[in-house]
């Protein structure tokens, strides 16, 4: 299983962009990179995923490095509702989908 | 709303007892995953079923078992409960058998308290 490294925590200000990094240097060529987030007392919520190209959806953008060893989740305008624990999860051939400890994002008003 | 339903939301029981947690996947999803989340361990993968068959096993104790029924709902059985089994148990579902491009959709969990 590919291992990931994320900062333990980050802080941002409301209405400012936030870039959440993830290193996944052991990722295989066919592993997708998924991001989930978990609000307090809720189940994890799917945010976005990609393979090689940058991806956008209504929640966020995902920038994947050319060598695929890292990726960055971009929240274009952070809101208080974006405060959560964010998980970067390589998903590939193994069905054992491993979530690390994630990264806690604090959004200041 | 993810479309994944877990019952019950809360469960309080005593050590040594047995409980069953239930999960109904999102309509159309064939895979069901079970995760355990305790304060100091993060999200731990327990087991995955795809269309009724076990596909992957994680750190699931022998006291725990699961199954997926023909209507695709799944049950996680926890027996001989210990204090350390107190945790949030999440169920997730996805369309395919393997993660890759198929996101997981999580329920809101069952909070188990063992006293």
């Amino acid at each position: 299983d590919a291992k990931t490294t994320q900062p333990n925590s980050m802080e941002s200000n409301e209405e400012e962009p936030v870039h959440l990094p993830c290193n996944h240097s052991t990722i295989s060529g066919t592993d997708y990179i998924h991001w989930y987030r978990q609000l307090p007392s809720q189940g994890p919520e799917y945010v976005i995923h990609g393979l090689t190209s940058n991806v956008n959806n209504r929640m966020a953008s995902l920038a994947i490095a050319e060598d695929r060893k890292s990726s960055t989740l971009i929240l274009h305008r952070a809101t208080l509702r974006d405060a959560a624990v964010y998980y970067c999860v390589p998903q590939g051939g193994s069905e054992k989908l491993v979530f690390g400890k994630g990264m806690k994002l604090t959004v200041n008003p | 709303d993810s479309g994944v339903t877990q019952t019950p939301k809360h469960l309080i029981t005593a050590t040594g007892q047995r409980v069953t947690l239930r999960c109904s996947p999102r309509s159309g999803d064939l895979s069901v995953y079970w995760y355990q989340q305790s304060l100091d361990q993060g999200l731990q993968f327990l087991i995955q079923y795809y269309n009724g068959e076990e596909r992957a096993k994680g750190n699931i104790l022998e006291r725990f078992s699961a199954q997926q029924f023909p209507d695709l709902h799944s049950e996680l059985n926890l027996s001989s409960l210990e204090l350390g089994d107190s945790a949030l148990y999440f169920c997730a579902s996805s369309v395919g058998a393997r993660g890759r491009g198929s996101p997981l959709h999580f329920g809101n969990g069952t909070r188990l308290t063992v006293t």
Side-chain angles (χ1 to χ4, degrees), chain B residues 25-89:
Chain B
R26 224 169 48 129
S27 177
D29 286 356
L30 298 178
S31 273
V32 170
Y33 306 76
W34 286 98
Y35 284 83
Q36 179 193 55
Q37 186 174 41
S38 51
L39 278 174
D40 56 347
Q41 291 291 325
L43 269 167
Q44 298 290 314
F45 170 71
L46 295 179
I47 197 164
Q48 181 212 358
Y49 281 82
Y50 174 74
N51 205 19
E53 295 193 2
E54 182 184 306
R55 287 299 297 258
K57 236 176 186 177
N59 302 319
I60 187 166
L61 299 172
E62 285 190 12
R63 300 183 285 109
F64 296 0
S65 65
Q67 55 184 325
Q68 185 180 27
F69 295 86
D71 67 353
L72 300 177
H73 91 271
S74 178
E75 293 181 355
L76 179 67
N77 300 298
L78 315 176
S79 61
S80 303
L81 285 167
E82 302 174 359
L83 295 177
D85 298 327
S86 296
L88 268 168
Y89 291 84

Side-chain angles (χ1 to χ4, degrees), chain A residues 28 30-34 36 38 41-46 49 87 91-101, chain B residues 33 35 37 40-43 45 48 55-58 90 97-108 111:
Chain A
S28 81
T30 53
D31 285 356
Y32 279 76
I33 299 149
H34 288 238
Y36 294 82
Q38 187 174 20
S41 301
Q42 293 188 24
E45 174 189 30
Y46 164 75
H49 75 280
Y87 299 93
Q91 293 188 224
S94 167
E95 289 87 348
K96 295 182 183 180
L97 302 174
V98 178
F99 284 70
K101 292 194 180 296
Chain B
Y33 306 76
Y35 284 83
Q37 186 174 41
D40 56 347
Q41 291 291 325
L43 269 167
F45 170 71
Q48 181 212 358
R55 287 299 297 258
K57 236 176 186 177
F90 289 106
R98 296 184 173 190
R100 287 219 169 94
S102 181
L104 270 61
H105 299 273
F106 283 80
N108 279 328
R111 182 176 294 279

